[in-house]
Amino acid sequence: MTVRVAIVDDQALVRAGFRMVLDSQPDLEVVGEAIDGADALRLLDRVEVDVVVMDIRMPTMDGVEATRRLCADRPVGPPRVLMLTTFDTEADAFAALRAGASGFLLKNVPPEELLAAIRVVAQGDSVVAPSITRRLLDRFAGQLGTGPAEDPRLAQLTEREREILLLVAEGLSNSEIAGRVHVAEATVKTHVGRILAKLHLRDRVQAVVLAYESGLVTPGVQVRRTT
């Protein structure tokens, strides 16, 4: 299957470079370019896209705001956003994840890493390890506005799904969760898929964010287990 990609960056030379790399791959197709976030939203109204490669800092509308609006309009499914940044700062990474990005990379990564990240995001996964997500959320938790009330969407989860969500929020991989709860890894993958579907989330990174925002996880503290 060909992955349709849109490139969003205010620098023409950067867009041209990314297009050259992507056009060299038989399974990737650049279907559009945009010069800022507002231009990207207009483009996505006209063109079907699977993955948006989005610069985080642009004039008029930056990548974070564009991602936030895109994910609000289309909370489930494509297009998914891979955020790029020149500056390796946790603040930028946190903002990108909370806006709904499925991952973030530095612009100076090798081409093979960019290509691999696009393919991973297109499959519905994230390119940010959940453990890194948790570290970011622990640091910036004061900005989340967590309260004592749980998100009402969590009531849809079974006891087992709730347990799996807590372990995802702890930063465990599917294989690690399987070992913890003594089931097959494929069973964990099925549970995670159902959790994301029930909660209308794009990927497991967004599940970690929800676990923090709903109060299931206390910043800097081991997650609470269900019984």
Side-chain angles (χ1 to χ4, degrees):
M1 182 183 70
T2 300
V3 177
R4 299 162 297 186
V5 183
I7 302 171
V8 185
D9 196 291
D10 60 312
Q11 298 183 43
L13 187 59
V14 171
R15 296 196 306 274
F18 285 157
R19 177 181 278 274
M20 184 179 301
V21 171
L22 270 57
D23 282 345
S24 69
Q25 304 298 303
D27 60 330
L28 303 178
E29 178 186 5
V30 177
V31 295
E33 298 182 15
I35 61 174
D36 57 42
D39 192 29
L41 294 178
R42 290 190 293 269
L43 171 68
L44 295 173
D45 282 338
R46 305 190 310 269
V47 180
E48 292 294 327
V49 175
D50 299 307
V51 177
V52 182
V53 178
M54 180 99 69
D55 186 19
I56 198 168
R57 299 187 182 185
M58 297 176 289
T60 307
M61 181 186 295
D62 63 24
V64 172
E65 179 60 24
T67 299
R68 184 180 297 112
R69 296 189 186 189
L70 174 61
C71 293
D73 290 341
R74 311 178 193 187
V76 180
R80 303 182 187 278
V81 178
L82 177 62
M83 197 78 77
L84 300 181
T85 177
T86 305
F87 307 97
D88 186 12
T89 69
E90 290 184 340
D92 280 347
F94 173 78
L97 290 178
R98 197 177 181 205
S102 295
F104 60 91
L105 292 174
L106 291 176
K107 282 187 176 181
N108 61 358
V109 297
E112 56 270 20
E113 287 190 27
L114 173 63
L115 296 172
I118 291 172
R119 294 182 177 109
V120 168
V121 169
Q123 293 172 359
D125 294 323
S126 63
V127 293
V128 185
S131 57
I132 296 176
T133 307
R134 188 174 186 201
R135 175 171 56 83
L136 290 170
L137 293 173
D138 277 343
R139 177 165 180 177
F140 294 98
Q143 300 178 28
L144 288 175
T146 56
E150 286 191 354
D151 190 304
R153 289 176 292 175
L154 296 175
Q156 305 174 66
L157 302 182
T158 65
E159 182 178 341
R160 173 64 87 182
E161 289 167 348
R162 190 181 180 91
E163 180 183 16
I164 298 296
L165 174 59
L166 288 171
L167 293 173
V168 169
E170 190 176 337
L172 301 185
S173 66
N174 286 351
S175 61
E176 291 169 333
I177 294 172
R180 184 75 65 89
V181 300
H182 308 294
V183 299
E185 184 175 349
T187 301
V188 174
K189 185 175 182 180
T190 298
H191 281 307
V192 171
R194 289 174 178 168
I195 291 167
L196 298 180
K198 287 183 177 181
L199 301 180
H200 303 290
L201 300 173
R202 287 172 168 256
D203 51 50
R204 62 196 297 137
V205 171
Q206 300 307 309
V208 177
V209 174
L210 175 64
Y212 272 75
E213 291 185 321
S214 66
L216 283 179
V217 178
T218 301
V221 179
Q222 189 80 357
V223 297
R224 300 195 298 273
R225 302 291 176 78
T226 58
T227 57

